[in-house]
Amino acid sequence: MEGEKMITEKLAHFVAETGVGDIPEGALKVARMGITDCIGVTFPGSLEPLGKIMRDYAKKMGGVAESSIIGSNIKTSPYLAALANGTMGHALDYDDMGGFGHPSVALAPAVLAIGESIGASGKDILAAYVIGFEVAVCLCGPLMESHYTRGWHSTDNFGTLGAAAAVAWLLKLNVHQVRMALGIAASLAGGLRQNFGTMTKPLHAGQAAANGIQAALLAQAGFTADENIIETPLGFTRVFGHGEEVDWAKASEGLGKTLNITAPNFSGIAIKPYPACGGTHGGIDASIFLKNEYELQSDDIAEVELGTSPFLPQVLIHHRPKTGLEGKFSLEYTVARALHSGEVKLRHLTDEGVNEPPIKGLIERMKWVEKYPMPSLGQQREGLGATSVTVKLKDGKEYSHEVSISKGLPQKPLTSDEFNEKYKDCASTVLSKDGVEKSLDMLSNLAGVKNVRELMETVTKK
Amino acid sequence: MEGEKMITEKLAHFVAETGVGDIPEGALKVARMGITDCIGVTFPGSLEPLGKIMRDYAKKMGGVAESSIIGSNIKTSPYLAALANGTMGHALDYDDMGGFGHPSVALAPAVLAIGESIGASGKDILAAYVIGFEVAVCLCGPLMESHYTRGWHSTDNFGTLGAAAAVAWLLKLNVHQVRMALGIAASLAGGLRQNFGTMTKPLHAGQAAANGIQAALLAQAGFTADENIIETPLGFTRVFGHGEEVDWAKASEGLGKTLNITAPNFSGIAIKPYPACGGTHGGIDASIFLKNEYELQSDDIAEVELGTSPFLPQVLIHHRPKTGLEGKFSLEYTVARALHSGEVKLRHLTDEGVNEPPIKGLIERMKWVEKYPMPSLGQQREGLGATSVTVKLKDGKEYSHEVSISKGLPQKPLTSDEFNEKYKDCASTVLSKDGVEKSLDMLSNLAGVKNVRELMETVTKK
């Protein structure tokens, strides 16, 4: 009951009183991964139609030239840079997952924009990211199901409070100011899931980052808000849709002790190895394994059987995709692509890519069956994406492989090479080869970067 | 059922297809009143601590010098000007009420900021205000009770959509773009009532205005969102807390035909004659009547009896106020002030004002009794504020007066002189005497102003 009453204050103490030195190296490493991956996917995101819209909007509004829009030569206000970068970062749904939704596109644009504005160090940026992540995940724990079910996009509603906490840490706000920042942020949070499938979904990430900045800066200047906004009767918990009492003491017992960001489960961060919906990743992994193991040629394949839980067909709704965007939500296309090419890259998730005849032919030879629970399936949420791929060749041979924990999940992280390859694939859509290497060098040693401005110079255009 | 399905589209047609000529003169006149009053109360609001915070924040973020912050010499982006002006306008709770909450502080800053940016005419500003008002009130009708009860501040959640509609009209968006603007706006709406009593309450008005601008500008540039955001399963209606089906056909049957803005009830606009909570206004009216009618001197008063519904004590919680802010929510203080001074002005709602000895003495001679329903009380919402004041003099005489519809409500509008006096009282806190007259002249003929930039020059400082 005491915990119930005091969660906002407890979170504020955590934000105000955690020093860089209190954060384990392992957590900073995951934050580096999240920030690097977020910057990476922002490059191709910036080439999408919404990239131009966000840059034009930022130019139209104008702002002090303190914070960079990634992949452009525009410097603008921290608010607008975070808005644009968060939106572009989430545009392709190629950004990381876990924690409270899509963590890095809400947090990284906020800490980068303010970090660049105040000249923070790389290590400070990493620490601020961890702080914001832990605050958002602490709230998300007991509230995710009810808030999400009601219709809120967790990347926005939890992300706004997480971003506010991250920026509050960077600005060294005191306990009272952090409480005010969270109180303001709760009134700025929003984001309807109904807008999924439109540009407004990625806008939610940009809003979370930008509003986190707005809330923290106003709090720093003395702006006031309710001091117990999370748990108070008409506060964040209840108004966004949680009807039950929350045992906050229990929900926050690990706060500042056991960090969620390094947890080997869905609380941690999953880096997407493929630019498609996370639900396709098990199938892609299985297909690449089969392709390599048995040196498959797609022409030799007579039939492919896809086995999944009944959950996946609800998400992967495009069985005969016609556009790159539909291809992202097509198990058939992504599996066909993996069996055909042995990889699934950005260039494959295009309108041209999904319409290549050999791939379309292979899709026609597929069937989808329900296999649930899979033998290997545990109780963890990731299990819902478990997928088996069974390939029958024209010569009668049959090969099958099943993946329950797909590559990139915290339990099966990308290798360093795979991670860097993804970054390079993404960054090269905008930067020169030299620019890609330079920025990756900087990001690989982010904890040692003296001033984030140096980093931002490498991820923008001259 | 068809109406249920089509309200977003219907609203979009209303916004996109209503011309200036379609709006009755009477509606434009009420809009002029709302905009004038909003600008007026923004002057003293700008002198509050949050005024400096908002100006500093706007300067810190920077922006194209297109839109003015009222009462200052700052020009900034439309977004930031609307954010600052809306917040300062609502700071004193002296702004108008009705429709969907506090209509003008959400709508006027948006149409003024964009109007100044694009060089719109005064008449266009007025028409845009009416459009935004009607959209927000149409939504508010069936949803107010459930959304407000859940904890949302109607000035923010309905106001954001209203402001988006108003700006969409000014920018001449087509039907599709208006639907996108409403879809984006729904994801930006928020505002927790829990933040009442803090600076974040007025921030909600600024957010509504600024986010309305952001939504409409993004939609104009081709940004996408769900096209049926109001009525769709996880849309605005339900996610913000309305559980029942809505008969939108019925709720919107008057849209574009019978305007709410000129309705002689709470759907219309009430201009506050006194800078205190609306709940005190009946008592103040009754006291001023008694003071004038019987030439009362506060020293001669032995006892005052206040009779109200049981609703008022829930709102007017400060029985022995110590600060100007507490005085706004004190029936005792405002009645004592009216009996003593015969008026209640801005200068009385200060820390000094509430602590004047004769007033404090009079408060000690008051008692509060429940009188409900009042004989004159109808079913209208305003009836909840009905108040009787009974004065017993030391010489044994007793006078009583009861007010159920207080001055400023749509049924009992301020006279033109009273309205202008309020504006002057407010504007003179910042502008010179000459400046006050000049701006009031301009506002009195707003429909004839060629370019809103001329108006904004008169309400800013050189």
Side-chain angles (χ1 to χ4, degrees), chain A residues 257-274:
Chain A
K257 295 171 203 152
T258 316
L259 296 185
N260 284 295
I261 197 168
T262 38
N265 56 41
F266 202 76
S267 295
I269 292 182
I271 300 290
K272 279 188 168 184
Y274 315 114

Side-chain angles (χ1 to χ4, degrees), chain A residues 57 60-61 63-64 77 79 150 183 187-188 191-192 194-195 199-200 204 207 214 224 226 232 234 238-239, chain B residues 57 60-61 63-64 77 79 150 183 187-188 191-192 194-195 199-200 204 207 214 224 226 232 234 238:
Chain A
Y57 179 69
K60 199 179 179 79
M61 293 296 106
V64 288
S77 68
Y79 176 92
R150 173 161 281 274
S187 265
L188 308 186
L192 304 181
Q194 185 69 44
N195 276 319
M199 293 180 187
T200 301
H204 294 163
Q207 285 289 135
Q214 192 153 298
T224 61
D226 189 276
T232 195
L234 287 176
R238 288 178 183 72
V239 180
Chain B
Y57 179 69
K60 199 179 179 80
M61 293 297 105
V64 288
S77 68
Y79 176 92
R150 172 161 282 274
S187 265
L188 308 187
L192 304 182
Q194 185 69 44
N195 276 318
M199 293 179 186
T200 301
H204 295 163
Q207 285 290 135
Q214 192 152 298
T224 60
D226 189 276
T232 195
L234 287 176
R238 288 178 182 72

Side-chain angles (χ1 to χ4, degrees), chain B residues 354-376:
Chain B
V354 298
N355 285 302
E356 281 177 31
I359 306 279
K360 290 179 84 167
L362 187 51
I363 287 176
E364 294 303 326
R365 306 199 289 281
M366 286 189 183
K367 64 175 180 180
W368 196 335
V369 299
E370 187 174 312
K371 272 195 186 175
Y372 189 74
M374 296 258 169
S376 62

Side-chain angles (χ1 to χ4, degrees), chain B residues 374-446:
Chain B
M374 296 258 169
S376 62
L377 189 63
Q379 288 301 310
Q380 68 275 42
R381 270 202 262 181
E382 297 85 348
L384 293 172
T387 304
S388 72
V389 175
T390 305
V391 174
K392 292 174 190 166
L393 298 186
K394 288 172 180 166
D395 66 8
K397 290 195 188 105
E398 185 175 319
Y399 304 111
S400 189
H401 192 65
E402 182 202 315
V403 170
S404 59
I405 303 294
S406 63
K407 204 153 69 173
L409 289 172
Q411 305 90 318
K412 199 192 278 186
L414 301 189
T415 65
S416 179
D417 278 354
E418 288 167 337
F419 181 85
N420 289 342
E421 272 313 308
K422 176 185 174 183
Y423 179 83
K424 290 179 191 172
D425 185 42
C426 287
S428 64
T429 59
V430 172
L431 299 181
S432 66
K433 194 155 184 294
D434 186 52
V436 173
E437 293 297 338
K438 221 168 150 183
S439 61
L440 184 56
D441 281 353
M442 190 77 80
L443 284 161
S444 300
N445 179 36
L446 186 49

Side-chain angles (χ1 to χ4, degrees), chain B residues 96-352:
Chain B
D96 59 20
M97 308 174 294
F100 57 93
H102 290 271
S104 291
V105 288
L107 299 173
V111 299
L112 289 170
I114 286 292
E116 187 178 1
S117 161
I118 65 175
S121 72
K123 197 157 189 181
D124 278 343
I125 296 296
L126 294 171
Y129 178 106
V130 173
I131 296 290
F133 186 93
E134 295 301 321
V135 166
V137 173
C138 177
L139 296 173
C140 175
L143 305 180
M144 178 69 168
E145 196 179 331
S146 48
H147 286 194
Y148 198 81
T149 302
R150 172 161 282 274
W152 299 105
H153 183 192
S154 59
T155 299
D156 189 334
N157 67 320
F158 299 113
T160 302
L161 276 79
V167 176
W169 187 90
L170 263 185
L171 297 175
K172 303 193 197 312
L173 301 194
N174 64 32
V175 172
H176 172 75
Q177 290 170 321
V178 177
R179 292 171 82 162
M180 299 299 106
L182 293 173
I184 300 165
S187 265
L188 308 187
L192 304 182
R193 278 203 291 125
Q194 185 69 44
N195 276 318
F196 281 14
T198 76
M199 293 179 186
T200 301
K201 187 200 180 199
L203 181 66
H204 295 163
Q207 285 290 135
N211 281 330
I213 287 173
Q214 192 152 298
L217 285 174
L218 289 175
Q220 183 186 38
F223 214 80
T224 60
D226 189 276
E227 62 181 6
N228 299 303
I229 201 66
I230 307 301
E231 67 274 26
T232 195
L234 287 176
F236 179 77
T237 296
R238 288 178 182 72
V239 180
F240 278 85
H242 192 78
E244 312 288 312
E245 288 292 302
V246 176
D247 184 349
W248 281 114
K250 191 174 167 216
S252 65
E253 65 188 355
L255 187 69
K257 296 171 204 151
T258 316
L259 296 185
N260 283 296
I261 197 168
T262 37
N265 56 42
F266 202 76
S267 295
I269 292 183
I271 300 290
K272 279 188 169 185
Y274 315 115
C277 173
T280 66
H281 291 196
I284 296 173
D285 275 357
S287 302
I288 292 175
F289 172 85
L290 292 171
K291 165 93 177 168
N292 293 337
E293 188 74 9
Y294 305 108
E295 295 178 4
L296 301 180
Q297 297 300 318
S298 54
D299 280 353
D300 300 335
I301 297 173
E303 194 185 313
V304 180
E305 187 193 88
L306 307 169
T308 74
S309 79
F311 169 72
L312 276 194
Q314 295 176 41
V315 181
L316 304 175
I317 54 177
H318 292 292
H319 305 296
R320 298 291 181 273
K322 290 190 179 61
T323 67
L325 186 58
E326 288 178 357
K328 286 172 179 288
F329 295 88
S330 173
L331 185 60
E332 290 87 345
Y333 172 68
T334 48
V335 163
R337 172 56 69 188
L339 288 171
H340 182 74
S341 306
E343 59 181 10
V344 179
K345 297 286 187 186
L346 276 175
R347 66 179 179 280
H348 298 137
L349 274 307
T350 57
D351 295 355
E352 298 73 42

